[in-house]
Amino acid sequence: NLLLSAKKFSEYYEIPEELSEDSAPDFLMAGKDEVMKAQARAVESALINGDDDGTHIDSDTQAGAANLAEKAWKGLRRQALANSANGSTYDIAGPLTDAAMKTLQSRGGKFLTNPKECLWILSPSGYIQSLGLTNVATADKFGAMATVLQGALAAYNGIPIVTSEHARDDLNATGVYDGVTMTKSAVLLVNATRWYVG
């Protein structure tokens, strides 16, 4: 049985008292759009960076307000770190390479065998590095979809790539933000069918 715990995010949006009958509809539509985008950003950041264990994995988030979205539930990075003893993490220790991506994929075992169920989640920096991966960069390796020709990479090893502005590029070697060493990023490889949002 699956039990979902409800969490509620709320936004604060100021409306000026100078609104007139003519300007109110357009202003309220723009405000609604901004609030909806803010909700989407909050949920995305919580899915990637969330940690509700009382002491957040990232020191800057821990120091923030108690009602930050990233404190609402356990996110993907936190869960990977918590399960690192099971081999769910892999320290690339350098630039992103084809070998590192394949090693990470092999670590998932049976959970990563069907590419249609999986997602790569990359930070902006990680995505830019992925464009230079040897197996996809040139036409002789990747044909007309080579990143040197297309300037984009939609999938790697048949697994779709999602780039998120909320995937952090300022982590230390253990995969968390500590405010001291901020030179690493995280590549997340997720079986999306194993995670639920209700």
Side-chain angles (χ1 to χ4, degrees):
N1 292 329
L2 185 65
L3 176 64
L4 297 178
S5 298
K7 299 286 182 173
K8 185 173 186 175
F9 292 170
S10 60
E11 306 293 331
Y12 177 74
Y13 189 82
E14 290 187 357
I15 299 175
E17 61 184 35
E18 295 85 7
L19 283 179
S20 67
E21 290 180 10
D22 292 334
S23 65
D26 290 337
F27 184 86
L28 292 174
M29 275 187 14
K32 177 183 176 185
D33 185 55
E34 286 187 35
V35 167
M36 288 171 55
K37 288 177 181 175
Q39 285 284 324
R41 287 191 302 268
V43 170
E44 182 177 338
S45 186
L47 288 172
I48 295 171
N49 302 307
D51 184 358
D52 65 352
D53 283 345
T55 301
H56 198 279
I57 56 174
D58 299 319
S59 63
D60 58 345
T61 305
Q62 175 60 29
N67 62 353
L68 287 175
E70 293 83 358
K71 294 182 179 181
W73 56 69
K74 293 171 182 62
L76 299 171
R77 183 166 51 95
R78 183 258 178 225
Q79 290 298 85
L81 294 171
N83 291 315
S84 62
N86 299 331
S88 66
T89 61
Y90 172 64
D91 184 4
I92 295 173
L96 201 56
T97 63
D98 292 294
M101 297 284 274
K102 289 178 180 174
T103 298
L104 185 58
Q105 192 173 351
S106 70
R107 292 282 180 104
K110 65 181 181 180
F111 298 107
L112 300 177
T113 56
N114 184 352
K116 293 178 182 175
E117 295 180 345
C118 301
L119 289 174
W120 293 102
I121 302 174
L122 302 176
S123 68
S125 172
Y127 177 71
I128 295 299
Q129 287 186 47
S130 76
L131 297 178
L133 291 170
T134 306
N135 287 341
V136 298
T138 58
D140 63 312
K141 298 274 181 141
F142 207 47
M145 295 306 294
T147 58
V148 72
L149 300 175
Q150 297 296 323
L153 184 62
Y156 185 83
N157 273 358
I159 299 173
I161 292 175
V162 175
T163 306
S164 173
E165 65 180 300
H166 301 289
R168 299 186 72 149
D169 283 322
D170 56 358
L171 306 175
N172 65 22
T174 62
V176 301
Y177 177 89
D178 64 5
V180 179
T181 305
M182 299 175 285
T183 59
K184 306 292 181 188
S185 185
V187 173
L188 297 171
L189 179 53
V190 179
N191 183 323
T193 67
R194 300 289 175 154
W195 299 89
Y196 299 90
V197 177

